[in-house]
Amino acid sequence: MVLKGLFLILISSALVNNFVLSRFLGICPFLGVSQKIETAVSMGWATTLVLVVSAIVTWSLEQFILLPFGLEFLRYVAYILVIASMVQVIETILAKTSPALHRSLGIFLPLITTNCAVLGLALLVALKSYNVVEAAVFATGAGLGFTLALALLAGIRERLEWADIPEAFQGTPIILITAGILSMAFLGFAGLVAQ
Amino acid sequence: MGVVQKIVLAGVVMGGLGVLFGFILALVERRFRVETDPRIDEVEALLPGINCGACGLPGCRGAAEAMVAGTAEVNQCSVGGQAVADQIGSLLGRSAQTGPVKIAVIHCCPSLKNPPQYKDIHTCLGYQSLIGSTLGCSYGCVGLGDCAQVCPSDAIRQDKNGRMSVVQELCIGCGLCVKACPRSAIRLHEEQHSLQLLCQNPEKGKAVLAVCNSGCIACGLCVRACTHQALRLEDNLPVVDYANCTECGLCVEKCPKHCLIIGTQQGQERVNAS
């Protein structure tokens, strides 16, 4: 029963309430880092890693410091501090332990600090009062959904390079329209999990 | 709990978190520091830093790493030239001579009889693949600016007639445009070789005349005008022997098509021989 609940959270955060296409969080990397599937997937993995780690750390912060002291109003500031520090820690550790992965993630890793999906996820975890396992699964799902959305848009954009697009729609407009259609397509998942 | 206590508590918690994470970061940094050769940073600072890739290495950082590791010569950077090579050489205790400074020359300054109309073709490569040599001059500049696109120093300009030219003062001789031109109309020349032919159509005069108003028709007037035996005709184009050329300009005056020039391509007054 517990497993079923966790699985529902995973599916829900990855598909039904996809962070990019349904909650409209993390639009900046969604549009910025989706020229190539390869870089989009790298970005997706990096974000997933940061999402999971920061979800766990912000959850502990919430449970052990903010709630006991009645300081819920500090959430935003404290979470940003945690996320920025965590990203820096992850980057330093990766550079030492796995230089290849560090090189392939490259500049994306520090940029994730400003990805609003990370802060949004931490706030949602607090709002839904998940326990730590649920929070981690929720973050994993969100990361997978983010990667999926990025890879999908990147795949479409690689094709758009060769498409005969009307002049008025060239560049950013066609990407925004594509993103909108993708978002509508994800509405199809709405009935999958009743939540 | 009063308001004041709450403010103080908030300050303590945030300050504490800041100090805590500061310590964690410092610890992690110390524990997981990656030792890099400090010379890499110094060499990178000496390089031009425009990441043009002319050396064939991934950017200036990659070039610096390779130079320090010894897999690349200190003169690999054609952009920095001898000055940079000397500085890096003295830093790394090695020396190498660079070749002469080179700049790019676009060997075409077309005024076509029937300029092709471009529709939905935005790159020279696209033009060359789709239309190839079926229209007009099949040797000259297409004018869609692939070279200007790749130029890291913004040295290639297009005038209002669609002709491309290189601003010599800006050209760094990286050779990216040479690779980008699908018609091989751009070549690198030593900077002091200022006499240049702006045409590379090797066909006979009549065939060139049929497509272009400013192409070399192999009339040979330049060869005859030259008093220094610095010119000869080869494949219907004059070839300059720079060892003999004194840049006197006699050939430039005689050229009926004005496709021989001395000095810069940019801003040259060209009479349209129509």
Side-chain angles (χ1 to χ4, degrees), chain B residues 107-118:
Chain B
H107 289 279
C108 179
C109 190
S111 69
L112 297 176
K113 300 253 163 149
N114 298 308
Q117 301 294 313
Y118 303 118

Side-chain angles (χ1 to χ4, degrees), chain B residues 122-139:
Chain B
H122 310 295
T123 64
C124 307
L125 185 59
Y127 180 88
Q128 182 65 13
S129 334
L130 290 170
I131 294 167
S133 45
T134 54
L135 285 174
C137 175
S138 44
Y139 303 92

Side-chain angles (χ1 to χ4, degrees), chain B residues 66-163:
Chain B
M67 284 175 188
V68 171
T71 52
E73 291 298 322
V74 292
N75 63 359
Q76 196 106 346
C77 180
S78 60
V79 178
Q82 188 63 48
V84 168
D86 285 342
Q87 283 176 297
I88 298 174
S90 66
L91 187 74
L92 299 180
R94 285 186 279 148
S95 74
Q97 294 292 314
T98 54
V101 178
K102 292 199 169 179
I103 54 166
V105 175
I106 300 174
H107 289 279
C108 179
C109 190
S111 69
L112 297 176
K113 300 253 163 149
N114 298 308
Q117 301 294 313
Y118 303 118
K119 241 178 137 186
D120 300 328
I121 300 181
H122 310 295
T123 64
C124 307
L125 185 59
Y127 180 88
Q128 182 65 13
S129 334
L130 290 170
I131 294 167
S133 45
T134 54
L135 285 174
C137 175
S138 44
Y139 303 92
C141 173
V142 176
L144 289 172
D146 281 12
C147 47
Q149 278 276 317
V150 297
C151 182
S153 63
D154 201 16
I156 299 181
R157 306 282 167 83
Q158 189 164 33
D159 69 9
K160 60 181 188 301
N161 296 322
R163 294 168 176 163

Side-chain angles (χ1 to χ4, degrees), chain B residues 234-253:
Chain B
E234 245 176 49
D235 290 335
N236 296 318
L237 292 169
V239 177
V240 188
D241 180 1
Y242 289 103
N244 293 341
C245 177
T246 60
E247 295 166 19
C248 60
L250 286 172
C251 52
V252 175
E253 279 169 35

